[in-house]
Amino acid sequence: MEEARKYIEETYSKLVKKDPDQTEFLQAVKEFLNSIEPVFTAHPEFIEQNILERIIEPERIIQFRVPWTDDQGRVQVNRGFRVQFNSANGPYKGGLRFHPSVNQSIIKFLGFEQIFKNSLTGLPIGGGKGGSDFDPKEKSDAEVMRFCQSFMTELQRHIGPDLDIPAGDIGVGGREIGYLYGQYKRINGSQAGVLTGKPLMLGGSLARTEATGYGLVYFTDKMLQNEGKSFENKKVIVSGSGNVALYAIQKVHELGGTVIACSDSNGYILDPAGIDYTTVKQLKEVERKRISEYVTTHPTAIYSEGNIWDIEEAYQIALPCATQNEVNKDLAKNMIAQGVIAVAEGANMPSDLEAIEVYRQAGILYAPGKAANAGGVAVSALEMSQNSQRLSWSFEEVDEKLTDIMEAIYTEVRDTAKLYQVEGDFVAGANIAGFVKVALSMISQGIV
Ligand code: NDP
């Protein structure tokens, strides 16, 4: 459809003119736009209503100063962000990232992808994201607490249980959410529903910590089953060793696969006997140490510096669970050379556009993050439901709901790709299925 192609191209070039330096955001928008052309034949009203230009513009961006005092008594200043991207389907929902690389481009790319991910869950949540360039690594608990208190002192005026409900992401786990919640409560009184990913004693949900990693593996398992395959006896590599990676490793092992390597931002460990999940959990979650320490208790493992996707070792399934753009064209080619048959993303946008093209050319199974890692936000929405009802469901109950949601997302993505004649293209399936629901919802609310 000539008109649709022209509309897409014009929308993208306008954006490039407005935000030429926001490389991650432009990349996320380009990936989305590249796959949605088939939608406009069935929905010409999306062009009349200029939905694309509206959906790539955040409803609101909040940027603020976060001053705090370190243990030496020096005043430090970081930058805080919250992007309230789209509330067509419900209150803004999406995590907070604390990492030195955080800037407006990164938060916008994450917030943009969150719109479609949240739509795919089928739950009534809009898309948002936030964070700071604060680095929690090597900070004392007291420093992290003072930073979180200062961050929340400003953020609290912009969020609320029916308005915007942040959660965790890179650098924001139970400890940080606890401090953020404590400060919110001090200012506004007790409202457990304002943050998700809370520790259990503060109204958190069982299985929220595990949800993104488990959900990723449930999705991947469905995708493999559809091809008559499974995790059984497969060798798997998982990048990262944080929240998502850790529980992906645990679930892969439960399903009969062997995770032979994982990583952090310094390097990776290769343990052909299978990564010992309990040791990684202790090192990363409890002791907050580097992954290199793993080899001191596991002599069969080898530690190397560099990118994990450089590994030359036969394996079949790749689960990137660290960060954006960790896989480029050459690393994707290396995966294929090692025998990879499926890539499923626990991280957000871990494969760059050229890497995705390599997967396509090789004809392997590929599940983009916005579908495969939606389990985290899905269980966050279940945490909101439990908070509203003043109830807490059992681990099994939440895990069962998570399994059903991931299965439903898989089926919707697969069937949407088929319906729009791009069978097997899960990027298109996820983008189209997520987008159509939001676009229809936006139109029904008028020009707002
Ligand atoms: P964590 O902070 O718990 O862990 C992040 C992991 O990735 C760490 O091992 C970290 O290593 C590594 N990492 C971070 N930056 C880099 C980098 N530049 N290069 C190499 N490795 C890096 O975060 P999460 O596990 O929560 O998040 C991981 C990914 O999953 C992110 O893309 C996030 O957006 C996505 N995600 C998370 C969800 C959640 O529920 N937590 C939900 C959906 C998606 P190091 O310790 O050395 O920094």
Side-chain angles (χ1 to χ4, degrees):
M1 196 188 170
E2 191 55 40
E3 191 191 0
R5 193 161 313 133
K6 198 161 159 259
Y7 173 52
I8 289 170
E9 280 166 9
E10 278 173 9
T11 307
Y12 187 68
S13 35
K14 271 193 203 169
L15 184 70
V16 174
K17 279 201 189 106
K18 279 187 197 172
D19 297 317
D21 302 325
Q22 298 193 349
T23 47
E24 293 85 2
F25 178 53
L26 290 174
Q27 180 185 337
V29 172
K30 192 169 193 178
E31 184 237 81
F32 163 76
L33 292 176
N34 279 348
S35 59
I36 53 151
E37 197 183 318
V39 167
F40 295 98
T41 311
H43 293 285
E45 76 276 19
F46 290 177
I47 300 181
E48 284 149 36
Q49 294 277 339
N50 197 5
I51 283 294
L52 286 185
E53 216 178 323
R54 286 160 65 189
I55 211 166
I56 60 176
E57 195 62 37
E59 289 176 17
R60 194 170 301 103
I61 299 179
I62 300 141
Q63 185 182 316
F64 50 98
R65 178 174 68 199
V66 191
W68 56 282
T69 310
D70 68 19
D71 287 346
Q72 285 70 46
R74 289 180 303 233
V75 178
Q76 306 281 350
V77 181
N78 286 95
R79 215 167 245 190
F81 300 92
R82 187 71 183 165
V83 175
Q84 297 180 331
F85 222 117
N86 193 298
S87 61
N89 278 351
Y92 310 103
K93 181 92 198 86
L96 297 172
R97 175 177 292 191
F98 292 169
H99 192 271
S101 63
V102 163
N103 56 31
Q104 207 180 95
S105 170
I106 288 185
I107 299 300
K108 277 174 73 181
F109 114 67
L110 290 163
F112 182 67
E113 296 223 320
Q114 196 82 42
I115 305 169
F116 309 108
K117 180 188 310 192
N118 293 4
S119 165
L120 283 173
T121 66
L123 299 165
I125 39 179
K129 199 85 189 189
S132 172
D133 58 0
F134 173 76
D135 187 358
K137 261 190 226 123
E138 281 155 34
K139 301 284 190 305
S140 68
D141 282 354
E143 288 176 322
V144 171
M145 181 189 73
R146 287 194 293 273
F147 171 80
C148 288
Q149 289 176 340
S150 178
F151 184 87
M152 185 51 92
T153 300
E154 173 60 31
L155 186 68
Q156 59 87 27
R157 72 183 74 235
H158 307 289
I159 61 173
D162 296 312
L163 173 64
D164 183 354
I165 306 94
D169 190 80
I170 290 178
V172 180
R175 173 183 63 170
E176 290 75 17
I177 294 286
Y179 294 149
L180 290 164
Y181 181 60
Q183 185 69 357
Y184 183 88
K185 188 165 65 95
R186 195 173 178 198
I187 301 171
N188 296 287
S190 179
Q191 289 175 51
V194 74
L195 285 167
T196 60
K198 296 181 292 299
L200 290 181
M201 65 198 119
L202 302 181
S205 173
L206 285 161
R208 172 60 187 94
T209 313
E210 292 84 355
T212 311
Y214 279 18
L216 168 69
V217 176
Y218 295 152
F219 187 102
T220 314
D221 194 37
K222 279 278 141 208
M223 185 168 78
L224 292 168
Q225 278 176 25
N226 198 51
E227 305 279 314
K229 299 180 172 121
S230 75
F231 271 104
E232 197 76 43
N233 300 321
K234 297 287 187 309
K235 287 188 180 167
V236 181
I237 291 186
V238 176
S239 63
S241 47
N243 172 263
V244 180
L246 198 53
Y247 295 98
I249 295 172
Q250 187 194 28
K251 192 50 81 177
V252 167
H253 287 163
E254 270 177 45
L255 296 188
T258 305
V259 177
I260 58 165
C262 71
S263 62
D264 63 18
S265 54
N266 294 106
Y268 58 87
I269 46 166
L270 176 65
D271 190 349
I275 297 289
D276 177 6
Y277 149 83
T278 327
T279 305
V280 179
K281 186 174 157 76
Q282 176 69 21
L283 277 177
K284 302 299 287 185
E285 251 185 18
V286 182
E287 298 172 19
R288 299 182 191 273
K289 287 192 175 152
R290 308 311 298 157
I291 201 69
S292 53
E293 303 263 338
Y294 181 93
V295 297
T296 57
T297 50
H298 292 74
T300 54
I302 299 163
Y303 173 74
S304 311
E305 299 215 321
N307 191 310
I308 189 170
W309 303 116
D310 254 336
I311 284 183
E312 291 184 13
E313 181 87 23
Y315 67 104
Q316 294 79 43
I317 298 169
L319 304 177
C321 294
T323 194
Q324 66 275 355
N325 293 330
E326 57 177 277
V327 190
N328 63 21
K329 181 173 69 179
D330 292 337
L331 295 165
K333 281 186 183 160
N334 184 49
M335 282 179 183
I336 308 293
Q338 307 314 319
V340 164
I341 57 162
V343 178
E345 298 178 339
N348 287 308
M349 208 170 73
S351 311
D352 73 14
L353 293 170
E354 290 183 336
I356 296 172
E357 196 46 42
V358 172
Y359 307 151
R360 267 207 189 108
Q361 301 266 329
I364 61 166
L365 294 169
Y366 167 55
K370 62 170 80 76
N373 71 29
V377 73
V379 172
S380 272
L382 300 180
E383 183 174 330
M384 288 159 67
S385 301
Q386 294 169 77
N387 292 154
S388 297
Q389 294 179 65
R390 305 280 193 267
L391 282 177
S392 93
W393 302 333
S394 69
F395 190 97
E396 291 69 28
E397 216 173 336
V398 179
D399 192 30
E400 201 177 303
K401 286 184 166 59
L402 170 66
T403 312
D404 291 347
I405 291 170
M406 295 316 293
E407 189 169 336
I409 295 176
Y410 169 74
T411 307
E412 189 177 16
V413 167
R414 183 197 59 193
D415 294 353
T416 303
K418 206 167 173 182
L419 181 69
Y420 285 89
Q421 283 144 20
V422 280
E423 191 169 354
D425 184 342
F426 283 24
V427 175
N431 282 332
I432 294 172
F435 170 59
V436 170
K437 277 190 256 180
V438 179
L440 291 173
S441 174
M442 284 170 74
I443 289 174
S444 73
Q445 294 172 53
I447 316 273
V448 289

